[in-house]
Amino acid sequence: MRRDWWKDGLQLSLRIRPVGLVLAVVYAFACWGTRKLSLDQFYLPAGVRVAALLLCPPRLWPYLFLGEYAYFAQMRYPMVEKYGLAWVILASGSLMPTVASIVRLHRRMMTTTSQAWLLSVGAASAIAVTSLNLILMHLLWPTPDVPILTGAARYIVGDFIGILTVAPLALLWAKRHTEPAWTRRFLAPSVAGLALMILIGVSTTLIPAESATAKTSLQLLMALPAIALTCLLGWRGAAVAVPSLNLIIGLTTPKPYPLAFDPTTFTTQMVMAIAGVALLLFGSRITHYYHRYRMRDDGERNAIKLARNSHIASEKGLRERALHLRKLGDGMDVYLKEVVSWLKLQGHHEIANVLLNTATVHSRLFRAQASMVYPTALDQLGLYVALQTGGVRECWELSNRVNRPRLEGDPCTLSKGLQLAAYRALNEAVSLLLENEPGQLMVRARCRGFGSQRGILVVVALLDSTRPLSATTAAMVDEHLAGLPLAYGGLVQCRRNRVRMVLTETAERSSNGSAPHHSPDRGKAADLDNSQALG
């Protein structure tokens, strides 16, 4: 018979983890130590509370609650007689669950590239904790001595600045593995900015207390390194600069005894709170747009890489087809030679000679067409030899409109993929101009290196320099020729009477015949077009 749980009770298993107990002790001591360094308008335990919730997984939050209660127990137990046991228990036990609920509600936003949600956590936590404290004070204290509006302003600003001082550092530590290169690349700017802020902060301590204006101005001057770090490093720079700025100002501010409200310090902290919010928002937006730009840039690089791979794969298929056609042509030549020899043995010399001449002409035409499918000469002898032999040369000569090409440089320094792309683009450009433009054409090409880049500049132009290309031809050039040069980090331009094409690659990739991974800068590619190159 099934037993009813409401009669027999519930069985609960409670597992105490040693690491959790250590965490509770560390958290309690962290709150106690930072409380010694705090003011009403610079309350660091509020930041420690939010930072601990951000760093620790939810399964360890009960131990943070335990550490919070231990911290409040040692601090508020002597206040029981003065303020009552109800206030001590409620005020101590309600703050951490409230902040934990706020952090829990923001956990979905923590995976975004923008870190502006941290300001929402800080503002909500400061307002919620201050509201709870003030409400419980006025409900449970015998004689509340803190005005609601004044106390709210002091405690909200104090908690918020404390959160801005500690929480960004915790978030920075939690996301240290998302971009490993950041620590190596930006360590020097961070150290330089922190050193400058510390130097200015130490200088403020040397100013006499009577010179309050000069001291405040020097404190505000520390915002300049913080702005520089934010502009350089985005939200990570702000996560380093804003806590450092607040901490230096807070530690260099003389603490009144007993602890009381200090109007001068409150004004300074208000200014720094506004500056901290602005820097964190600005840094978050910088990082957000940087990630968007990097994703778009990576997408463009992947698209270019896929275009190159697709071009190389298609050329590989065409090469296999051309080799197969070449084998067929060799077989037909052998067969025709056997037939001619047999005819001569039979005494049909005239028929054999006619057949031999016809077979020779058609074999030459067949091989020329096969070379148009894929320029096999390019594999062994390079681009320029492929342009001056085979079907391309015969096609240009038959048109009687293409002058002898002017070819400069060594194309063998380029990868085979880039040479094939230049070969296809050049043939297409000549064909378009032959079909759509009257008059003679000239073809120029020059291979050149610049730094770690290698490239080729190809120009197909009308011989009549006074006759510009038509709008239809220019549109067809952009439509048919933009793909291959773009896949190799180049460009296509129509200028007056000519079509310019630039294809480039890295020198180390061109040496092994494979396509380059990185496309060069457009500005460098444009340097190929100058008066010393091809004019």
Side-chain angles (χ1 to χ4, degrees), residues 28-29 31-33 35-36 67-79 88 92:
F29 274 98
C31 292
W32 175 80
R35 179 67 181 89
K36 300 296 183 181
E68 174 103 343
Y69 300 154
Y71 160 68
F72 278 130
Q74 62 84 28
M75 184 178 67
R76 291 182 175 178
Y77 179 74
M79 303 179 184
V88 171
S92 302

Side-chain angles (χ1 to χ4, degrees), residues 246-430:
N246 290 336
L247 194 60
I248 292 172
I249 293 178
L251 295 180
T252 56
T253 299
K255 297 175 176 55
Y257 183 82
L259 295 180
F261 178 71
D262 184 4
T264 303
T265 303
F266 181 74
T267 302
T268 303
Q269 293 294 339
M270 282 288 293
V271 173
M272 300 319 299
I274 296 173
V277 171
L279 289 176
L280 286 172
L281 282 176
F282 183 51
S284 176
R285 299 311 295 172
I286 289 177
T287 302
H288 174 68
Y289 284 110
Y290 165 75
H291 281 290
R292 289 183 58 182
Y293 168 78
R294 192 176 66 176
M295 291 176 61
R296 185 175 62 182
D297 188 56
D298 291 343
E300 291 178 356
R301 290 185 179 181
N302 291 334
I304 290 174
K305 184 178 179 181
L306 290 175
R308 287 194 202 131
N309 294 338
S310 177
H311 169 249
I312 293 174
S314 63
E315 291 291 347
K316 184 177 179 181
L318 292 175
R319 183 176 184 274
E320 296 296 330
R321 185 176 301 176
L323 292 176
H324 181 65
L325 292 175
R326 186 173 180 178
K327 291 180 180 179
L328 291 177
D330 293 341
M332 288 187 294
D333 290 344
V334 172
Y335 177 74
L336 288 172
K337 286 180 181 180
E338 292 177 354
V339 172
V340 169
S341 299
W342 183 82
L343 288 174
K344 287 183 179 181
L345 290 175
Q346 298 298 322
H348 305 292
H349 294 281
E350 185 177 353
I351 297 176
N353 291 333
V354 172
L355 181 60
L356 180 61
N357 293 334
T358 304
T360 302
V361 173
H362 285 83
S363 177
R364 182 175 57 83
L365 294 176
F366 179 82
R367 293 179 184 277
Q369 292 301 315
S371 68
M372 294 289 288
V373 176
Y374 182 87
T376 54
L378 185 145
D379 293 344
Q380 292 81 25
L381 303 174
L383 172 64
Y384 290 169
V385 175
L387 290 174
Q388 299 179 75
T389 60
V392 173
R393 181 183 62 83
E394 291 191 6
C395 182
W396 290 357
E397 288 180 352
L398 289 175
S399 68
N400 293 322
R401 294 178 54 194
V402 181
N403 292 352
R404 183 179 180 85
R406 179 181 169 184
L407 309 174
E408 302 179 12
D410 183 10
C412 295
T413 59
L414 307 175
S415 68
K416 185 172 67 175
L418 189 141
Q419 293 184 64
L420 286 170
Y423 177 85
R424 300 298 184 189
L426 180 58
N427 288 339
E428 185 69 21
V430 172

